[in-house]
């Protein structure tokens, strides 16, 4: 027993047969079998033997490196995960090198993307070889960043473009897929980051943003925020953190927060001489009658402050109906805006897509018959439209007042001239790209290149 070597709670392992120069392992004497992160697992036949093809991303800080591996299948086992769920895992046997020692080890192939370590070294590999001192690390061998960079040099892609993060919730949305396509078409590396899978470390000396599994997000040139309303608070905190790390964010947290606060945005528009439909806001039901009168009476629009895509927007056709709806909302302490109804618009509005102060596309949206909301999500039909110079200036000014580099500006035509309805900080691309035939996703990427003075 005295001949056993001491290892720490973390050690480096080398798998020459698998082509893995080094992988950091968590030493866990509580686990019987060792496991390694593996994806794209496929069983193949070599003669009469079953083998397994799989890919390993050995560096927890770099998800872009994936090493193709092959090993003979030796078993299938039911393994209980850390969440307590039992699942079948394939088991391979391969030589592992730790310092001067090389020996065979059995590895279960597991998806460890959500784990901090890409490998776990279990007690079968440790028994009769090592004693674990959990208070120390890297007692057998240690590699610094320079060593790792040298070992993995053949796997690192040469940087020819920008590295961009798309911060959103659903990678399958049309807009998100188009932005990824546009960035890749211009030679950039773009990574989809789920807002809710990122977390941050607040520290004056070494602030960080990490992603589920422990990956440190520190190599981005730019972030494109596409944050849904339900995660505005957390998403904006992440954007501020990226900004603190020196990453360019196409829309700032402050700009997004202002645009999502319909009351504050309306106050900013009024202050900056941007014309909007007459809008009222009150706290007490005692003021309901005068509130209705103040916006020229029914028919009128009642909007939830947190409404989006036309949801939470009601048309009250009579004063009595308006009173009932307003008082109902107020009885459950919900904040609402009351707004004059622009009858002459005939259910039409205009969406202007603004990028870096320029209107790059415009479409007209026509509400369905019997519907007053022209939003595409509410069944509105889109068509191309030529906007007036007054409408163009209004859209540009609204985006500028909110300090949004990318904005969907909604305008309505009235007898008093164009009026601003609202400004969206994460405007959808599907309706306007299909209606106009313009590559707006490309415009967004070009705008980032110009901001960062990057030339292809």
């Amino acid at each position: 027993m005295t001949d056993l070597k001491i290892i720490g709670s973390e050690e480096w392992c080398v798998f020459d047969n698998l082509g893995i120069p080094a992988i950091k392992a968590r030493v866990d004497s509580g686990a019987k079998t060792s496991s390694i992160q593996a994806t794209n697992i496929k069983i193949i036949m070599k003669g009469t033997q079953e083998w397994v093809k799989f890919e390993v991303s050995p560096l927890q800080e770099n998800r872009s490196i994936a090493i193709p591996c092959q090993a003979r299948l030796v078993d299938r086992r039911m393994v209980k995960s850390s969440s307590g769920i039992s699942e079948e895992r394939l088991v391979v046997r391969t030589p592992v090198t730790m310092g001067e020692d090389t020996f065979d080890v059995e590895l279960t192939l597991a998806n460890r993307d959500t784990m901090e370590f890409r490998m776990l070294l279990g007690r079968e590999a440790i028994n009769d070889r090592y004693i674990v001192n959990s208070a120390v690390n890297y007692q057998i061998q240690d590699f610094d960043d320079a060593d790792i960079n040298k070992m993995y040099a053949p796997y690192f892609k040469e940087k020819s473009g920008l590295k961009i993060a798309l911060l959103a919730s659903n990678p399958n949305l049309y807009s998100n897929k188009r932005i990824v396509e546009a960035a890749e078409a211009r030679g950039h590396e773009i990574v989809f980051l789920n807002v809710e899978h990122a977390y941050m470390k607040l520290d004056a000396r070494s602030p960080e943003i990490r992603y589920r599994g422990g990956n440190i997000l520190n190599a981005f040139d730019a972030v494109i925020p596409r944050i849904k309303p339900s995660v505005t608070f957390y998403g904006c905190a992440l954007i501020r953190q990226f900004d603190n790390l020196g990453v360019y964010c196409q829309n700032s947290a402050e700009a997004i927060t202002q645009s999502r606060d319909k009351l504050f945005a309306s106050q900013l528009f009024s202050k900056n001489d941007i014309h909007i439909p007459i809008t009222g806001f009150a706290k007490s039901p005692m003021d309901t009658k005068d509130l209705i009168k103040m916006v020229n009476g029914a028919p009128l629009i009642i909007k939830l402050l947190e409404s989006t895509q036309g949801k939470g927007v009601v048309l009250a056709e009579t004063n009595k109906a308006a009173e009932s709806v307003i008082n109902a909302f107020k009885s459950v302490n919900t904040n609402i805006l009351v707004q004059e109804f622009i009858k002459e618009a005939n259910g039409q509005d205009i969406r202007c897509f603004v990028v870096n102060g320029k209107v790059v596309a415009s479409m007209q949206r026509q509400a369905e018959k019997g519907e007053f909301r022209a939003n595409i999500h509410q069944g509105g039909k889109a068509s191309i439209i030529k906007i007036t110079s007054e409408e163009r200036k209004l859209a540009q000014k609204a985006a500028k007042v909110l300090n949004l580099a990318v904005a969907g500006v909604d305008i309505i035509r009235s007898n008093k001239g164009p009026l601003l309805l609202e400004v969206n900080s994460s405007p959808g691309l599907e309706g306007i790209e299909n209606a106009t035939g313009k590559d707006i996703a490309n415009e967004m990427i070009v705008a980032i290149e110009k901001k960062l003075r990057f030339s292809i």
Side-chain angles (χ1 to χ4, degrees):
M1 293 291 286
T2 54
D3 294 334
L4 299 185
K5 295 179 181 177
I6 294 174
I7 61 172
S9 62
E10 299 171 17
E11 292 291 344
W12 286 99
C13 296
V14 176
F15 292 94
D16 287 330
N17 283 25
L18 297 179
I20 298 172
I23 184 169
K24 199 184 289 182
R26 175 76 172 171
V27 178
D28 185 358
S29 57
K32 182 183 176 185
T33 313
S34 303
S35 66
I36 195 166
Q37 183 271 347
T39 54
N40 299 325
I41 300 169
K42 186 179 179 184
I43 296 173
I44 59 170
M45 296 301 295
K46 284 193 176 185
T48 58
Q49 291 182 338
E50 285 185 312
W51 280 58
V52 189
K53 288 177 73 173
F54 55 98
E55 289 182 353
V56 174
S57 296
L59 301 181
Q60 61 203 71
E61 299 85 5
N62 192 326
R63 290 175 293 154
S64 65
I65 292 176
I67 296 177
C69 304
Q70 284 190 29
R72 192 167 69 86
L73 179 65
V74 296
D75 200 3
R76 291 175 169 85
R77 289 184 197 153
M78 294 303 293
V79 176
K80 190 174 283 189
S81 69
S82 57
S83 58
I85 300 169
S86 293
E87 58 185 13
E88 186 184 70
R89 288 190 192 159
L90 303 181
V91 183
V92 299
R93 184 183 290 116
T94 189
V96 61
T97 300
M98 295 178 65
E100 297 174 354
D101 304 322
T102 299
F103 53 91
D104 280 357
V105 64
E106 287 191 348
L107 296 170
T108 62
L109 304 182
N111 186 347
R112 298 184 58 83
D113 271 350
T114 59
M115 306 296 180
E116 186 178 354
F117 288 85
R118 296 310 176 110
M119 181 181 165
L120 185 146
L121 195 68
R123 65 175 178 271
E124 278 185 342
I126 299 166
N127 285 349
D128 300 327
R129 291 190 180 95
Y130 305 108
I131 295 172
V132 182
N133 180 353
S134 60
V136 295
N137 293 325
Y138 315 121
Q139 296 301 292
I140 298 295
Q141 60 188 352
D142 197 5
F143 301 127
D144 60 21
D145 288 346
D147 295 327
I148 294 298
N149 288 339
K150 189 175 178 181
M151 289 176 189
Y152 282 96
Y155 300 97
F156 287 115
K157 294 175 186 173
E158 189 177 339
K159 186 175 177 181
S160 58
L162 297 171
K163 186 164 183 183
I164 301 169
L166 175 58
L167 190 64
S169 295
N170 183 354
N172 298 314
L173 287 182
Y174 173 94
S175 300
N176 295 336
K177 288 199 285 189
R178 283 287 300 113
I179 290 167
V180 169
E181 288 169 4
E184 290 176 344
R186 296 189 65 83
H188 305 302
E189 182 185 348
I190 185 162
V191 176
F192 181 89
L193 297 179
N194 188 316
V195 176
E196 293 166 79
H197 292 180
Y199 52 100
M200 66 198 95
K201 172 182 149 190
L202 308 176
D203 177 66
R205 289 183 180 174
S206 58
E208 286 178 352
I209 297 179
R210 294 196 174 206
Y211 202 64
R212 185 166 289 176
N215 301 296
I216 299 172
L217 306 177
N218 60 358
F220 293 110
D221 299 298
V223 170
I224 302 172
R226 303 278 305 175
I227 297 167
K228 62 184 181 182
S230 62
V231 292
T232 299
F233 179 81
Y234 189 70
C236 285
L238 280 171
I239 294 166
R240 282 192 295 272
Q241 187 79 344
F242 274 115
D243 183 63
N244 291 345
L245 294 169
V247 181
Y248 168 65
C249 300
Q250 194 164 37
N251 276 341
S252 71
E254 183 187 24
I256 294 169
T257 303
Q258 287 181 166
S259 70
R260 296 251 164 110
D261 185 337
K262 287 186 168 56
L263 176 61
F264 183 42
S266 297
Q267 290 174 316
L268 279 176
F269 299 145
S270 296
K271 181 181 177 182
N272 287 277
D273 196 31
I274 293 174
H275 296 280
I276 62 174
I278 298 168
T279 302
F281 181 70
K283 176 68 176 168
S284 171
M286 302 291 288
D287 303 311
T288 300
K289 280 187 165 63
D290 195 45
L291 192 67
I292 293 169
K293 187 178 175 185
M294 191 171 71
V295 298
N296 295 332
L300 54 81
I301 303 291
I302 300 159
K303 285 183 180 180
L304 288 176
L305 274 183
E306 294 80 20
S307 64
T308 180
Q309 297 176 349
K311 297 169 187 170
V313 182
V314 178
L315 171 64
E317 298 198 22
T318 65
N319 285 355
K320 192 169 182 181
E323 276 187 58
S324 298
V325 174
I326 292 168
N327 291 337
F329 277 135
K330 288 193 176 299
S331 70
V332 289
N333 292 319
T334 302
N335 287 317
I336 57 166
L337 291 178
V338 178
Q339 203 167 64
E340 71 171 320
F341 177 62
I342 309 300
K343 188 178 179 182
E344 61 268 25
N346 293 319
Q348 293 176 347
D349 72 11
I350 297 166
R351 162 62 62 91
C352 296
F353 206 105
V354 180
V355 179
N356 276 10
K358 180 186 173 188
V359 177
V360 296
S362 303
M363 67 172 173
Q364 179 174 277
R365 301 181 299 190
Q366 173 68 58
E368 280 191 313
K369 193 172 182 182
E371 174 61 72
F372 69 97
R373 295 166 296 181
N375 306 67
I376 303 296
H377 289 87
Q378 299 299 331
K381 298 288 185 290
S383 59
I384 195 165
I385 187 174
K386 185 174 175 60
I387 59 172
T388 66
S389 61
E390 193 180 0
E391 288 161 351
R392 184 178 303 276
K393 286 174 186 173
L394 176 60
Q396 290 168 330
K397 189 174 181 182
K400 186 178 180 181
V401 162
L402 291 175
N403 198 27
L404 287 168
V406 172
V409 181
D410 295 340
I411 294 169
I412 197 165
R413 288 174 172 171
S414 78
N415 294 335
K416 298 180 279 188
L419 300 174
L420 178 67
L421 285 180
E422 65 178 311
V423 181
N424 191 322
S425 60
S426 296
L429 303 185
E430 187 169 13
I432 199 160
E433 282 197 342
N434 290 339
T436 64
K438 292 188 176 178
D439 189 348
I440 296 170
N442 182 69
E443 296 276 1
M444 291 173 66
I445 304 301
V446 170
I448 290 173
E449 292 171 2
K450 287 179 179 175
K451 202 76 179 174
L452 298 180
R453 294 181 172 86
F454 177 86
S455 56
I456 295 175

